[in-house]
């Protein structure tokens, strides 16, 4: 009976060592998981911050482009020459002469030349 008690005692001590070993391993794994989660959360927060900054920059760029577009439109309207139609352009018989692949200036020249020849 004494040998059985000593075997049980050794078995219990061995079991206690194994439980302690598993406890240490579990604590190490939990530490790694918490560390990975916090590192992942830090990375996610960094990415979220970058995305927010990019969103702000895109909004500023859109406002700048809209402002430049308005300035260009206003400048183009101010610089656009006022073209007065001449009587030849209003005459339906000259309509064929007024359409040219080379543009309206060439058509106007042709009209002026044809007037001089008449």
């Amino acid at each position: 009976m004494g040998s059985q008690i000593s075997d049980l005692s050794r078995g219990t001590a061995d079991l206690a060592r194994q439980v302690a070993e598993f406890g240490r391993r579990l604590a190490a794994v939990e530490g790694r998981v918490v560390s990975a989660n916090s590192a992942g959360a830090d990375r996610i927060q960094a990415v979220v911050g970058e995305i927010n900054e990019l969103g702000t920059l895109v909004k500023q760029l859109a406002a700048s482009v809209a402002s430049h577009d308005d300035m260009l439109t206003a400048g183009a309207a101010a610089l656009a020459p006022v073209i007065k139609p001449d009587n030849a352009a209003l005459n339906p018989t000259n309509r064929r002469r007024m359409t040219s692949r080379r543009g309206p200036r060439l058509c106007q020249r042709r009209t002026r030349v044809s007037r001089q020849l008449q």
Side-chain angles (χ1 to χ4, degrees), residues 84-99 107-115 118:
K84 295 180 182 178
D86 57 352
N87 291 335
L90 297 176
N91 188 351
T93 58
N94 291 331
R95 192 172 303 270
R96 183 173 176 206
R97 280 187 262 159
M98 293 302 294
T99 57
C107 293
Q108 289 173 356
R109 286 185 196 141
R110 285 182 184 168
T111 307
R112 287 183 192 134
V113 170
S114 65
R115 279 189 207 156
Q118 289 177 354

Side-chain angles (χ1 to χ4, degrees), residues 13-27:
D14 190 36
L15 185 61
R17 274 193 302 272
Q18 288 178 1
V19 167
E21 176 74 23
F22 285 132
R24 282 191 294 273
R25 287 183 180 180
L26 180 61

Side-chain angles (χ1 to χ4, degrees), residues 18-81:
Q18 288 178 1
V19 167
E21 176 74 23
F22 285 132
R24 282 191 294 273
R25 287 183 180 180
L26 180 61
V29 169
E30 285 176 345
R32 287 187 205 138
V33 168
V34 168
S35 172
N37 284 341
S38 67
D42 291 342
R43 289 182 191 138
I44 288 172
Q45 288 301 322
V47 170
V48 166
E50 291 290 326
I51 289 172
N52 287 335
E53 186 175 346
L54 286 173
T56 302
L57 290 173
V58 167
K59 287 177 185 175
Q60 290 174 356
L61 179 63
S64 177
V65 167
S67 172
H68 284 104
D69 186 41
D70 291 343
M71 286 190 290
L72 288 173
T73 303
L79 294 176

